[in-house]
């Protein structure tokens, strides 16, 4: 199952939440923990977009955890992010396929139980 993880408050917008989900890399392989990145983009604007941090985060995941990233969920990605996505996606290469655009409602229903939904998504 999924569990909510650390992150910062939602007042700055674009706060990242990370959860760990179990998975396997093959039928004979031992269980491998994978990262599920949940990015709340509901309050994202040009004023609070930290492109340097996004670049650092992507570089860190690729460099130190290349096989651990299971999926990245972009919650309510609209406006400036929708405009920037065609520029960002090619930089992600094959990892761009791990990105899923999702609504807050879909996130609650598909990734959390009523008891584990973070307050930001209630």
């Amino acid at each position: 199952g999924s569990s909510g993880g650390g992150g910062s408050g939602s007042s700055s917008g674009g706060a990242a939440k990370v959860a760990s989900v179990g998975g396997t890399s093959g039928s004979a392989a031992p269980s491998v923990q994978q990262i599920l990145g949940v990015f709340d983009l509901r309050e994202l604007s040009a004023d609070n977009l930290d492109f340097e941090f996004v670049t650092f985060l992507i570089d860190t995941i690729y460099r130190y955890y290349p096989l651990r990233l299971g999926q990245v969920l972009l919650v309510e990605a609209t406006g400036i992010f929708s405009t920037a996505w065609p520029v960002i996606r090619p930089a992600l290469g094959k990892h761009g396929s791990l990105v899923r655009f999702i609504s807050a409602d879909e996130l609650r229903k598909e990734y959390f139980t009523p008891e584990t939904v973070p307050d930001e998504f209630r």
Side-chain angles (χ1 to χ4, degrees), residues 52-63:
E52 185 176 324
F53 173 74
V54 171
T55 303
F56 165 79
L57 183 62
I58 291 169
D59 184 54
T60 300
I61 291 170
Y62 283 167
R63 185 174 298 192

Side-chain angles (χ1 to χ4, degrees), residues 2-74:
S2 300
S3 61
S8 59
S10 62
S11 63
S12 64
K17 304 290 180 187
V18 178
S20 177
V21 294
T24 61
S25 58
S27 58
S31 179
V32 175
Q33 292 292 318
Q34 290 191 314
I35 298 168
L36 169 65
V38 179
F39 293 86
D40 181 4
L41 303 177
R42 292 176 292 179
E43 297 179 23
L44 184 67
S45 71
D47 293 335
N48 62 16
L49 177 61
D50 186 347
F51 194 73
E52 185 176 324
F53 173 74
V54 171
T55 303
F56 165 79
L57 183 62
I58 291 169
D59 184 54
T60 300
I61 291 170
Y62 283 167
R63 185 174 298 192
Y64 299 105
Y65 307 100
L67 302 176
R68 301 294 286 240
L69 184 60
Q71 189 171 40
V72 174
L73 304 177
L74 302 178

